[in-house]
């Protein structure tokens, strides 16, 4: 609860800071301080809970999972501000408003791991989505940015209707919005409840860019200002999955209930893995490749939904860290490149050896190479599916798709190390390099000792 209040308050404060502070770098430092305060407030939530779950007025639950995920989300946002915050002013003059919108999104994200009522889930999704529509179109003079914002808004609004319809059907079948009091697993599932579950699954699948609800993703990610795409593709996506997992694990699992929807989610997972990976292979822009890569990564994270067991919970936390840190790092480096194509990376290792090295570590993590956090993240989500049973075919498909993903990730590595060229970058500070090294160190550390995080569950 403290994390929700602190992020919302900082969002409001930052709107007024823009009126009085003209130095845009000072606004960035103010936002960074805000994430530190929010992190401390969230830690205090965990201390108050004392390892047990506390439900507030039947709406919000403070638990180890919510506190840990909020810590991951706030920590990733801190990394995002430090690495990418300076690029906000390149988008437009309303820098304080951009930071405020990110804090409002973060306020919604804190609800995704702690809602205990479907109405709070709806509020969380909308608090996250509406600022994103604005940020996608923040580059007002760029037609691609305008198109991204409009497309995201129209499709997002349509999906909101599907989400509300699903909630209404669930309420009609159970008479409750409380995710713990639905009692769907105690008897025969009514057609009304089944339709509600499917509609909720489809709406959340849109939010996490799962196939066939992914069509907005490449255009929105490519058209939005790159600095905002970095946040939308990482922390926001992880929040969508934690909400997805929490709802299905608590309300729609048990008593054989999962057999009504498991095959549908499994087929969505398979399609997401195939289309995300195969389409990424043919991209010529690194930014657009990362958009399709995010769809492919969503396929792996969907394993946590289709499994919905304790290992899946561990997997989504580890995946959130590995994916967010690595992708934020890759986007931060992309922001420093003058050319976003693969050829723009030619010879980067010769001109910027440290940048090339950390970029390689991040890319290897996304590919799931051992000794990186991405390897254990994939290991946990696939293990969850094996434990669930009857999903071995999906695990084999995922392993094959992981091999395909290595191709387009290694294209960047080959360009940096084995192709001749003069990759041009913007000026890079020592502080920027230092933070990138810390991010790469986190990826390696969790690739060797994943229990450093998982022990908190």
């Amino acid at each position: 609860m403290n994390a929700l209040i602190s992020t919302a308050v900082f969002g409001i404060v930052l709107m007024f800071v823009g009126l009085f502070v003209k130095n845009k770098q000072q606004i960035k430092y103010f936002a960074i301080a805000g994430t530190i305060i929010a992190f401390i407030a969230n830690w205090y939530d965990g201390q108050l809970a004392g390892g047990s779950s506390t439900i507030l007025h039947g709406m919000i639950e403070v638990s180890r999972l919510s506190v840990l995920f909020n810590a991951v989300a706030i920590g990733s946002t801190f990394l995002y501000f430090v690495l990418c915050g300076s690029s906000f002013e390149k988008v437009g003059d309303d820098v304080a408003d951009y930071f405020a919108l990110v804090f409002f999104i973060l306020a919604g994200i804190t609800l995704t791991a702690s809602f205990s009522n479907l109405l709070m889930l709806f509020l969380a999704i909308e608090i996250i989505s509406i600022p994103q529509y604005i940020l996608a179109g923040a580059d007002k003079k760029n037609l691609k940015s305008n198109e991204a914002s409009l497309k995201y808004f129209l499709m997002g609004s349509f999906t909101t209707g599907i989400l509300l319809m699903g909630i209404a059907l669930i309420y009609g079948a159970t008479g409750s919005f409380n995710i713990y009091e639905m009692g769907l697993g105690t008897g025969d599932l009514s057609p009304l409840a089944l339709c509600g579950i499917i509609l909720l699954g489809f709406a959340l699948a849109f939010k996490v860019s799962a196939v066939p609800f992914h069509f907005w993703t490449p255009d929105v990610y490519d058209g939005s200002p790159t600095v905002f795409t970095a946040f939308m593709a990482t922390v926001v996506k992880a929040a969508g999955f934690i909400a997805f997992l929490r709802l299905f694990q608590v309300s729609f699992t048990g008593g054989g209930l999962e057999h009504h929807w498991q095959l549908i989610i499994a087929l969505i997972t398979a399609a997401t893995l195939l289309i995300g990976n195969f389409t990424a292979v043919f991209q010529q822009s690194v930014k657009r490749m990362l958009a399709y890569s995010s769809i492919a990564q969503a396929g792996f994270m969907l394993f946590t939904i289709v499994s919905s067991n304790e290992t899946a919970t561990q997997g989504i936390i580890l995946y959130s860290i590995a994916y967010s840190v690595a992708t934020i790092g890759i986007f931060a480096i992309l922001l420093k490149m003058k050319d976003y194509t693969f050829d723009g990376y030619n010879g980067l290792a010769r001109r910027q050896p440290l940048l090339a090295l950390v970029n390689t570590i991040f890319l290897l993590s996304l590919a799931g190479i051992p000794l990186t956090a991405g390897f254990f993240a994939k290991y946990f989500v696939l293990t969850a599916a094996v434990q669930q049973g009857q999903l071995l075919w999906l695990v084999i498909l995922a392993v094959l798709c992981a091999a395909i993903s290595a191709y387009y990730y290694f294209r960047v590595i080959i360009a940096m190390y084995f192709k001749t060229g003069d990759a041009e970058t913007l000026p890079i500070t020592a502080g920027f390099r230092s933070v990138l090294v810390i991010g790469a160190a986190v990826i390696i550390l969790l690739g060797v000792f994943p229990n450093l995080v998982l022990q908190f569950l």
Side-chain angles (χ1 to χ4, degrees), residues 51-240:
S52 60
S53 297
T54 304
I55 298 180
L56 306 174
H57 305 290
M59 294 289 181
I60 297 174
E61 180 182 9
V62 179
S63 63
R64 285 189 176 187
L65 174 63
S66 67
V67 170
L68 181 56
F69 179 76
N70 288 343
V72 171
I74 296 169
S76 298
T77 306
F78 170 83
L79 179 67
Y80 168 70
F81 282 162
V82 173
L83 288 176
C84 306
S86 298
S87 299
F88 279 35
E89 58 187 272
K90 297 177 183 176
V91 178
D93 296 328
D94 307 312
V95 174
D97 293 338
Y98 302 150
F99 280 109
L101 288 169
V102 172
F103 268 102
F104 290 139
I105 293 172
L106 196 56
I109 288 172
T110 61
L111 282 176
T112 56
S114 57
F115 70 91
S116 58
N117 188 291
L118 290 179
L119 297 180
M120 296 306 295
L121 169 63
F122 170 72
L123 287 176
I125 295 296
E126 289 309 292
I127 293 170
I128 292 171
S129 299
I130 294 172
Q132 285 188 89
Y133 304 151
I134 301 170
L135 291 177
D139 191 359
K140 299 174 184 177
K141 297 179 181 179
N142 187 337
L143 290 179
K144 290 181 67 177
S145 180
N146 295 336
E147 178 191 351
S149 180
L150 181 61
K151 183 174 289 188
Y152 198 9
F153 170 71
L154 291 176
M155 298 191 72
S157 301
F158 181 72
T159 308
T160 298
I162 296 176
L163 179 69
L164 280 174
M165 188 64 185
I167 292 174
L169 292 178
I170 291 292
Y171 180 75
T174 65
S176 176
F177 289 118
N178 192 302
I179 63 175
Y180 290 103
E181 298 175 358
M182 292 177 182
L184 292 172
T186 58
D188 292 333
L189 189 66
S190 68
L192 197 65
L194 181 59
C195 288
I197 292 172
I198 292 173
L199 288 178
L200 281 171
F202 286 173
L204 291 171
F206 171 89
K207 298 300 180 184
V208 299
S209 310
V211 174
F213 311 97
H214 69 292
F215 290 105
W216 62 275
T217 309
D219 290 338
V220 171
Y221 284 9
D222 191 35
S224 301
T226 305
V227 66
F228 299 139
T229 303
F231 189 72
M232 293 159 59
T234 53
V235 185
V236 173
K237 184 182 287 288

Side-chain angles (χ1 to χ4, degrees), residues 157-438:
S157 301
F158 181 72
T159 308
T160 298
I162 296 176
L163 179 69
L164 280 174
M165 188 64 185
I167 292 174
L169 292 178
I170 291 292
Y171 180 75
T174 65
S176 176
F177 289 118
N178 192 302
I179 63 175
Y180 290 103
E181 298 175 358
M182 292 177 182
L184 292 172
T186 58
D188 292 333
L189 189 66
S190 68
L192 197 65
L194 181 59
C195 288
I197 292 172
I198 292 173
L199 288 178
L200 281 171
F202 286 173
L204 291 171
F206 171 89
K207 298 300 180 184
V208 299
S209 310
V211 174
F213 311 97
H214 69 292
F215 290 105
W216 62 275
T217 309
D219 290 338
V220 171
Y221 284 9
D222 191 35
S224 301
T226 305
V227 66
F228 299 139
T229 303
F231 189 72
M232 293 159 59
T234 53
V235 185
V236 173
K237 184 182 287 288
F241 272 104
I242 203 74
F244 207 154
L245 176 63
R246 178 167 173 76
L247 177 62
F248 275 65
Q249 192 176 63
V250 172
S251 301
F252 306 147
T253 302
L257 186 61
E258 61 273 13
H259 296 305
H260 291 282
W261 53 263
Q262 191 178 62
L263 180 60
I264 296 174
I265 301 296
L267 292 174
I268 289 174
T269 303
T272 304
L273 287 167
L274 288 169
I275 292 177
N277 281 290
F278 277 104
T279 315
V281 168
F282 299 101
Q283 304 307 309
Q284 301 303 317
S285 162
V286 174
K287 184 180 178 182
R288 199 164 179 88
M289 179 273 285
L290 289 172
Y292 282 103
S293 163
S294 76
I295 297 172
Q297 297 293 337
F300 281 97
M301 286 188 268
L302 278 169
F303 273 93
T304 62
I305 314 302
V306 78
S307 304
S308 290
N309 51 33
E310 187 61 32
T311 306
T313 304
Q314 296 175 327
I316 196 63
I317 291 295
L318 196 56
Y319 218 114
S320 296
I321 299 172
Y323 174 68
S324 296
V325 172
T327 308
I328 288 172
I330 292 170
F331 269 104
I333 294 171
L334 185 67
L335 284 165
K336 298 295 183 181
M337 304 297 296
K338 290 188 176 181
D339 184 355
Y340 286 180
T341 65
F342 285 93
D343 290 339
Y345 282 78
N346 289 351
L348 182 63
R350 181 174 58 83
R351 301 196 63 172
Q352 297 285 352
L354 184 61
L355 240 62
L357 176 62
V358 295
N359 204 29
T360 300
I361 293 172
F362 295 144
L363 289 165
L364 292 177
S365 181
L366 291 183
I369 303 300
L371 297 183
T372 64
F375 170 76
F376 270 115
K378 285 183 170 60
Y379 170 80
F380 271 90
V381 298
L382 295 181
T383 300
V386 171
Q387 291 174 352
Q388 184 68 16
Q390 301 179 340
L391 293 172
L392 185 60
W393 65 274
L394 193 58
V395 173
I396 294 172
L397 176 65
V399 173
L400 294 175
C401 288
I404 294 170
S405 72
Y407 170 78
Y408 53 81
Y409 291 133
F410 272 79
R411 279 185 69 187
V412 182
I413 297 172
I414 290 170
M416 291 189 298
Y417 283 94
F418 301 107
K419 289 192 175 181
T420 57
D422 294 311
E424 296 185 40
T425 62
L426 301 173
I428 298 171
T429 63
F432 180 83
R433 289 190 175 92
S434 301
V435 177
L436 279 178
V437 169
I438 293 171

Side-chain angles (χ1 to χ4, degrees), residues 21-73:
V21 179
K22 301 304 178 185
N23 188 319
K24 294 180 175 59
Q25 286 300 310
Q26 290 181 358
I27 296 173
K28 169 191 167 182
Y29 297 134
F30 191 88
I32 291 172
T35 58
I36 295 172
I37 293 172
F39 191 91
I40 295 171
N42 179 65
W43 175 81
Y44 187 65
D45 262 344
Q47 295 298 106
L48 289 177
S52 60
S53 297
T54 304
I55 298 180
L56 306 174
H57 305 290
M59 294 289 181
I60 297 174
E61 180 182 9
V62 179
S63 63
R64 285 189 176 187
L65 174 63
S66 67
V67 170
L68 181 56
F69 179 76
N70 288 343
V72 171

